[in-house]
Amino acid sequence: MHLTGNLLIGQQSIYGGNGTIKAIDASNGKAIEPAFGGATLDNLDVACALAWAAFDEFRETPLEARAKFLEAIAQNIVDLGDVLIERCMTESGLPRARLEGERGRTVGQLRMFAEVVRNGDFIGARIDPAQPERRPMPRVDLRLRHIGVGPVAVFGASNFPLAFSVAGGDTASALAAGCPVIVKAHSAHPGTAELVGRAVQKAVKDCGLPEGTFSLLFDSGREIGQGLIKDSRIKAAGFTGSRGGGTALMKIAAARTEPIPVYAEMSSINPVLLFPHALKSRGQAIAKAFVQSLVLGAGQFCTNPGLVLALDGPDLDLFIEAASAALKETSAQTMLTPGIQNAYEDAVEKAAGHPQVTTAARGRDREGANQAQSALFVTTADAFRENHELQEEIFGASSLVVRCRDLDEMRELIEALEGQLTSSLHLDVADYDDVRSFMPALERRTGRLLVNGFGTGVEVGHAMVHGGPFPSTADGRSTSVGSLAINRFLRPVSYQDLPEALLPEALKTGNPLGLNRRIDGKLQLAD
Amino acid sequence: MHLTGNLLIGQQSIYGGNGTIKAIDASNGKAIEPAFGGATLDNLDVACALAWAAFDEFRETPLEARAKFLEAIAQNIVDLGDVLIERCMTESGLPRARLEGERGRTVGQLRMFAEVVRNGDFIGARIDPAQPERRPMPRVDLRLRHIGVGPVAVFGASNFPLAFSVAGGDTASALAAGCPVIVKAHSAHPGTAELVGRAVQKAVKDCGLPEGTFSLLFDSGREIGQGLIKDSRIKAAGFTGSRGGGTALMKIAAARTEPIPVYAEMSSINPVLLFPHALKSRGQAIAKAFVQSLVLGAGQFCTNPGLVLALDGPDLDLFIEAASAALKETSAQTMLTPGIQNAYEDAVEKAAGHPQVTTAARGRDREGANQAQSALFVTTADAFRENHELQEEIFGASSLVVRCRDLDEMRELIEALEGQLTSSLHLDVADYDDVRSFMPALERRTGRLLVNGFGTGVEVGHAMVHGGPFPSTADGRSTSVGSLAINRFLRPVSYQDLPEALLPEALKTGNPLGLNRRIDGKLQLAD
């Protein structure tokens, strides 16, 4: 497919007149064709007007039609074939296998949301039937359903050019909720964005949906991204990126006349806790698995294990030794963008130069431009406690081991951590009692607790939480991965004493949609 | 029961040293004893420390124990007997029958949340079982539950001294969610607050819960309310009050290092739409019911019908005539506070003096201090459209009828309205088609749509939404009345590959709590 560099505004394809963006070949730093036209504020206004106009119709599409639309997007992405994978490899520097896997995840995610839509539980239908005989006052008939919040702005993420970008998790869950979506493409992969955007645009057309259901904008600066958050027709936003970027959007959203939620997934160092018995019995095996997780995808995962906490002593020495040996064998990997690579090198250099931090190991040297060498550092609990900057995420394959005097000190450090996406616990049966004493503190600041594994590898399912207290996300009451992500884009509406003829289908007495509903507070299955 | 004027900090009862507050007898404006001591920042710190210390234990209380605690609070409130009603009548100026009803609502609400806790659906338990055979990668075991967000600050409301104050809906739903609560008492009813606070404090003790589960603070200024929102140990807040007060708290919350949600329920004018056939056939009956709703409780309800939209013509003239006749017979009523009464009089005077507004009727003259005369105004669609101040809530028994040229103009006005708690539709069968064309616009900006009734009278049930887009509330994704209100204070946590011994009870394979759970995305009832 020929790349045009065009904005996709509803069913239009228009070259933006506000500066240009070119992708950079991640492997050699060279700009690649074509130039993508940045959107003007007028383009933004048209996209918002279309989305607003589409909302009422799109949110009332029959569930089956909406499910088919999500499946059509998935199929259209598959149909892009190798053109998509190759463009994406060039733009992101990520290897083929990873991107083929990510494509599978992306289409799987769309198909999962199709099933979520068909199932209809997200509507959360509730009926409290009238009680005309109640004294002193008769009880009215009350029925409740959830509807989409309105048009949603989605900001593509650099590190998941497919699964968290144009047709990624935020877009899939917003569309499933019945919300039109306007995507601000990430400038690191505009070609990938255009290809996927066309797949969505075509699905909108083929499914006969209002054209404003989807638009894709390129932004040559920050005007369009900020303008999206400011526009009164946008009612929520999804973002995955840096803490600086996310908090900037949160501030703009909070300052609106009508504040809106920004679901920003920002930064996390994902503590790994090595409990004494596991460390003693399997320290070296854990070390190897840890390094594998650390260097996966050049460490460019939100769930990358950036912090290891364990008791100081010979078992931890052996762990560090084994991890260092494994890390030294890891090849330097191409990072997503030169900017990310520079930031990584700066942060690693800063850590290496920290007077209370020692460098345990570095990975193999770079062999090409824009590559990054993995790194493993060690420090003490005292140093970690006293130097807040050691808590800051280093985006890339770098981790810090903290030597703790005892479990109390380890627990203290946990209590000093900010909110996290994941916490990994390595433990044996003999560690259970100690682990129990850590659970409350971990639950309070973590979205996902996992045992004898690492946070990388985020299963797209119904029981997944990819979220967590601030600053891991803007809103710890939500997840951006998994079926629960749809809840971010829904709001409840209650209907009192409506005649059957005016009730939404989901709430009609005969249950024509075959939904599971809560009657007088009690869940009743449709079957 | 003897009033002490003391703060209730955990199980302590301490006289605050930061200025004093006295209640005002609403009927005569005179200060009444005792003086309540305002909390110092040190008192606040102790309350927050206790709440924080209580959180882990309280959120893991067995469901039955937590339910019994809510029921104990309800019973202790009932046991206060007439002392509570009499003090509350003096402080609020509200009549006995209303306050006895409100007490019933308050204890009913606590008992409903006890049932919600016992039922356990709020935990939202989900299990995606492991699939060790899956290719290319085995699937991990993932389980999800919801836990409380942490200690919650609750701001008592002036207009519901029982149902939305110390042990009102915000407190009941936060405690049900497993969150300790610190209440900032409303200065208009400190005696009522102390009485109810002691009822909660005693329930905490009798149920053997950690003392930090509940504290009650008086605030002689704004320091304590703002301090609560700023304290890092507070993780959410519930507020009912003015738009100015609510947005001020929202701003403080958004500016924290870790922003937190403020569930503020603020202002709403609750449009009443009179459709042509209903207006023609039943205009005068609707007018009488409208005036009854308007003057209920001196119009001091968030759901008070402050706006009537209808087609201009003789049917509307008859409606206005009938409503005016009914309104003229309404007695002036004592308002909650002199401040509220002053604000009401100012706003009514301003409306009456508006060049494009005519006064259709005023209620009977005042007979005592702090009373307010009801008011009915009329204007045109053009004037309403061009003068945004006519959309501002007048807190009290005042309403504005807007004469519209046709249904298109009426729909246009709806589209120009801010978010609302309720919209009331008066209609006959012959109006159905017209009504359908209004539904999308109404749903987009309203929490509860009701037919042939008025928004006053908010049923505490499972299908109630007492919420709505900004500025009716801070967060249109929530309700502050009804069982769904518990969701405001919950967040999801996911557990991956945890051994049975470490899983929370709610997620153990054998389902020891007998919960309805979602297995692989499919709801399964416990029975």
Side-chain angles (χ1 to χ4, degrees):
Chain A
M1 190 188 278
H2 175 65
L3 288 175
T4 62
N6 282 355
L7 311 170
L8 307 179
I9 300 181
Q11 287 300 318
Q12 303 295 307
S13 174
I14 301 158
Y15 199 81
N18 189 11
T20 58
I21 304 143
K22 278 191 181 175
I24 304 292
D25 183 330
S27 69
N28 60 24
K30 289 186 184 148
I32 44 180
E33 295 302 323
F36 292 76
T40 64
L41 288 175
D42 281 348
N43 297 141
L44 171 67
D45 181 60
V46 174
C48 290
L50 285 174
W52 188 246
F55 176 46
D56 285 336
E57 183 182 340
F58 181 59
R59 70 181 165 92
E60 295 297 346
T61 43
L63 297 182
E64 182 59 28
R66 209 187 302 167
K68 286 217 164 74
F69 168 52
L70 293 167
E71 289 167 342
I73 298 173
Q75 190 57 48
N76 290 351
I77 290 172
V78 170
D79 290 348
L80 289 168
D82 229 32
V83 171
L84 176 65
I85 299 296
E86 282 168 6
R87 176 79 194 187
C88 195
M89 284 169 66
T90 309
E91 290 184 331
S92 69
L94 294 169
R96 172 177 289 274
R98 149 71 197 270
L99 288 175
E100 287 177 351
E102 191 179 328
R103 178 178 59 187
R105 178 195 179 87
T106 306
V107 304
Q109 197 160 252
L110 286 157
R111 289 171 180 150
M112 181 196 70
F113 277 111
E115 284 312 310
V116 166
V117 169
R118 279 197 183 93
N119 168 290
D121 284 345
F122 73 96
I123 294 170
R126 296 171 165 222
I127 301 180
D128 295 346
Q131 294 175 353
E133 318 293 324
R134 194 183 65 174
R135 294 288 170 269
M137 295 279 286
R139 192 173 83 167
V140 295
D141 179 279
L142 265 183
R143 305 181 188 217
L144 180 154
R145 69 164 176 163
H146 286 79
I147 66 172
V149 292
V152 171
V154 171
F155 290 73
S158 64
N159 63 338
F160 279 95
L162 300 172
F164 267 85
S165 192
V166 177
D170 288 337
T171 298
S173 54
L175 292 174
C179 301
V181 167
I182 302 177
V183 174
K184 202 283 286 173
H186 197 286
S187 299
H189 54 262
T192 305
E194 181 184 335
L195 291 168
V196 175
R198 288 190 180 275
V200 183
Q201 190 187 46
K202 181 172 186 301
V204 169
K205 188 178 182 195
D206 292 349
C207 295
L209 296 172
E211 61 168 331
T213 301
F214 175 79
S215 290
L216 170 68
L217 303 176
F218 298 104
D219 188 0
S220 61
R222 291 183 174 177
E223 197 176 33
I224 297 304
Q226 295 183 355
L228 265 174
I229 299 286
K230 285 177 188 163
D231 194 286
S232 65
R233 293 160 293 195
I234 296 294
K235 301 299 185 188
F239 169 90
T240 301
S242 70
R243 183 166 177 171
T247 52
L249 295 184
M250 288 169 69
K251 281 198 167 59
I252 295 171
R256 285 169 48 128
T257 305
E258 178 195 4
I260 56 167
V262 173
Y263 296 101
E265 200 243 275
M266 298 181 286
S267 76
S268 182
I269 53 174
N270 305 297
V272 175
L273 284 69
L274 307 177
F275 284 89
H277 291 91
L279 183 60
K280 184 174 208 73
S281 68
R282 309 181 276 118
Q284 289 171 299
I286 298 170
K288 280 177 196 158
F290 160 68
V291 170
Q292 279 183 348
S293 169
L294 179 64
V295 303
L296 203 68
Q300 300 165 119
F301 289 110
C302 339
T303 51
N304 198 52
L307 178 69
V308 179
L309 302 177
L311 302 200
D312 200 6
D315 295 335
L316 182 55
D317 293 339
L318 285 172
F319 172 88
I320 293 170
E321 203 175 285
S324 298
L327 193 95
K328 282 176 188 156
E329 298 303 312
T330 61
S331 305
Q333 292 175 79
T334 304
M335 295 199 84
L336 292 158
T337 71
I340 288 173
Q341 195 264 354
N342 285 340
Y344 174 77
E345 293 295 344
D346 287 352
V348 164
E349 201 174 306
K350 200 174 144 202
H354 197 289
Q356 288 160 288
V357 170
T358 58
T359 304
R362 294 296 306 265
R364 291 208 183 123
D365 248 347
R366 285 179 268 179
E367 290 176 354
N370 202 29
Q371 289 197 333
Q373 247 186 309
S374 52
L376 185 65
F377 299 106
V378 180
T379 192
T380 63
D382 286 340
F384 187 75
R385 193 186 295 111
E386 286 153 23
N387 296 275
H388 186 77
E389 71 271 21
L390 295 178
Q391 266 202 49
E392 283 165 20
E393 182 186 35
I394 297 179
F395 191 70
S398 170
S399 193
L400 175 65
V401 179
V402 180
R403 297 181 185 271
C404 304
R405 258 185 300 272
D406 51 32
L407 289 171
D408 284 342
E409 186 168 58
M410 200 159 129
R411 216 179 288 105
E412 244 177 65
L413 292 194
I414 293 289
E415 290 287 8
L417 287 181
E418 297 184 305
Q420 303 292 334
L421 292 172
T422 70
S423 294
S424 299
L425 291 71
H426 291 266
L427 51 92
D428 281 357
V429 174
D431 293 307
Y432 283 5
D433 283 343
D434 288 335
V435 172
R436 280 194 190 92
S437 72
F438 278 78
M439 292 295 283
L442 290 169
E443 286 173 329
R444 263 189 272 111
R445 54 175 51 72
T446 309
R448 175 167 52 116
L449 301 177
L450 57 129
V451 164
N452 295 335
F454 295 92
T456 48
V458 182
E459 190 67 38
V460 178
H462 305 282
M464 172 53 70
V465 175
H466 188 67
F470 186 90
S472 66
T473 72
D475 184 342
R477 293 161 300 162
S478 66
T479 174
S480 60
V481 174
S483 62
L484 199 63
I486 195 173
N487 284 13
R488 299 177 297 169
F489 303 118
L490 294 167
R491 51 171 278 260
V493 179
S494 183
Y495 302 83
Q496 181 176 319
D497 286 338
L498 258 68
E500 280 287 324
L502 294 176
L503 277 170
E505 292 293 295
L507 299 178
K508 284 191 196 290
T509 305
N511 197 10
L513 300 187
L515 299 175
N516 301 324
R517 307 198 287 193
R518 190 175 292 277
I519 311 296
D520 257 335
K522 205 171 145 54
L523 262 179
Q524 298 194 0
L525 298 190
D527 334 324
Chain B
M1 191 189 277
H2 175 64
L3 288 175
T4 62
N6 283 354
L7 311 170
L8 307 179
I9 301 181
Q11 287 300 319
Q12 302 295 307
S13 174
I14 300 160
Y15 200 78
N18 188 11
T20 58
I21 305 144
K22 278 190 181 178
I24 305 292
D25 183 330
S27 68
N28 61 25
K30 289 187 184 147
I32 44 178
E33 297 301 324
F36 291 76
T40 63
L41 288 176
D42 280 348
N43 296 142
L44 170 67
D45 182 60
V46 174
C48 289
L50 285 174
W52 188 247
F55 176 46
D56 285 335
E57 182 180 340
F58 181 59
R59 70 180 166 91
E60 295 296 347
T61 42
L63 297 182
E64 182 59 30
R66 211 187 301 168
K68 285 219 164 75
F69 167 54
L70 293 166
E71 289 167 343
I73 298 172
Q75 191 55 49
N76 289 351
I77 290 172
V78 171
D79 291 347
L80 288 168
D82 230 32
V83 171
L84 176 66
I85 299 296
E86 283 170 5
R87 175 78 194 190
C88 195
M89 285 169 66
T90 309
E91 290 184 332
S92 69
L94 294 169
R96 171 177 290 274
R98 150 73 197 269
L99 288 175
E100 286 176 351
E102 191 180 326
R103 178 178 57 188
R105 178 194 179 87
T106 307
V107 303
Q109 197 160 250
L110 285 157
R111 288 172 181 148
M112 180 196 69
F113 277 111
E115 284 312 311
V116 166
V117 169
R118 278 197 183 92
N119 168 289
D121 283 347
F122 74 96
I123 294 170
R126 296 173 164 220
I127 300 179
D128 295 346
Q131 293 175 354
E133 318 294 324
R134 193 182 67 172
R135 294 287 168 269
M137 293 279 287
R139 192 172 85 168
V140 296
D141 179 280
L142 266 182
R143 305 181 187 218
L144 181 155
R145 67 164 177 164
H146 286 78
I147 65 172
V149 292
V152 171
V154 171
F155 291 74
S158 65
N159 63 338
F160 279 95
L162 299 173
F164 268 84
S165 191
V166 178
D170 288 336
T171 297
S173 54
L175 291 175
C179 299
V181 167
I182 301 178
V183 174
K184 203 284 287 176
H186 197 286
S187 299
H189 54 262
T192 304
E194 181 183 335
L195 290 169
V196 175
R198 288 189 181 277
V200 183
Q201 190 186 45
K202 180 171 185 302
V204 170
K205 188 178 182 194
D206 291 348
C207 295
L209 296 173
E211 61 169 329
T213 300
F214 175 79
S215 290
L216 171 67
L217 302 176
F218 299 104
D219 188 0
S220 61
R222 291 183 175 178
E223 195 176 35
I224 296 304
Q226 296 184 354
L228 264 174
I229 299 286
K230 286 177 189 164
D231 194 285
S232 64
R233 293 161 293 195
I234 296 295
K235 301 299 185 187
F239 168 90
T240 301
S242 71
R243 184 167 177 170
T247 52
L249 295 184
M250 288 169 70
K251 280 198 169 57
I252 296 172
R256 285 171 47 130
T257 305
E258 177 195 4
I260 55 168
V262 173
Y263 296 101
E265 200 241 277
M266 298 180 287
S267 76
S268 181
I269 55 175
N270 306 297
V272 174
L273 284 69
L274 307 177
F275 284 89
H277 291 91
L279 182 61
K280 184 173 208 77
S281 68
R282 308 180 276 118
Q284 290 172 296
I286 297 171
K288 281 178 194 157
F290 161 67
V291 171
Q292 279 183 348
S293 170
L294 179 64
V295 303
L296 202 68
Q300 300 166 118
F301 290 109
C302 337
T303 52
N304 198 52
L307 178 70
V308 179
L309 302 177
L311 301 200
D312 201 5
D315 295 334
L316 182 55
D317 292 340
L318 285 173
F319 171 89
I320 293 170
E321 205 175 284
S324 299
L327 193 94
K328 282 176 187 156
E329 298 303 313
T330 60
S331 306
Q333 292 175 78
T334 304
M335 294 199 83
L336 292 159
T337 70
I340 289 173
Q341 195 264 354
N342 285 339
Y344 174 77
E345 293 295 344
D346 287 352
V348 164
E349 201 175 303
K350 200 175 143 201
H354 196 288
Q356 289 159 289
V357 171
T358 58
T359 303
R362 294 297 306 265
R364 291 207 183 125
D365 250 346
R366 284 180 268 178
E367 291 177 352
N370 201 27
Q371 288 197 336
Q373 246 186 311
S374 52
L376 185 65
F377 300 105
V378 179
T379 192
T380 64
D382 286 340
F384 188 74
R385 194 186 294 112
E386 287 154 23
N387 297 274
H388 186 77
E389 70 272 21
L390 295 178
Q391 265 203 49
E392 283 166 20
E393 181 186 37
I394 297 179
F395 191 72
S398 170
S399 193
L400 175 65
V401 180
V402 179
R403 296 181 186 273
C404 304
R405 259 184 299 273
D406 52 30
L407 288 172
D408 284 343
E409 186 169 56
M410 199 158 129
R411 216 180 287 107
E412 244 176 66
L413 292 194
I414 292 289
E415 290 287 7
L417 288 180
E418 298 184 304
Q420 303 291 335
L421 292 172
T422 71
S423 294
S424 298
L425 291 71
H426 291 266
L427 50 93
D428 281 358
V429 174
D431 293 307
Y432 283 5
D433 283 342
D434 289 335
V435 172
R436 281 194 189 92
S437 73
F438 278 77
M439 291 296 283
L442 290 170
E443 286 173 329
R444 262 189 272 110
R445 54 175 51 70
T446 308
R448 175 166 54 115
L449 302 176
L450 57 131
V451 164
N452 294 336
F454 295 91
T456 46
V458 182
E459 191 67 39
V460 178
H462 305 282
M464 172 54 70
V465 176
H466 187 67
F470 186 91
S472 67
T473 71
D475 184 343
R477 293 162 300 163
S478 66
T479 173
S480 61
V481 175
S483 62
L484 199 62
I486 194 173
N487 285 13
R488 300 177 296 169
F489 303 117
L490 294 168
R491 51 173 278 262
V493 179
S494 185
Y495 302 82
Q496 180 175 319
D497 286 338
L498 259 68
E500 280 286 323
L502 294 177
L503 277 170
E505 292 293 296
L507 300 178
K508 285 190 195 289
T509 304
N511 197 10
L513 300 187
L515 300 175
N516 301 324
R517 307 199 287 192
R518 190 175 292 275
I519 311 295
D520 256 335
K522 204 172 146 48
L523 262 179
Q524 297 195 358
L525 299 189
D527 334 326

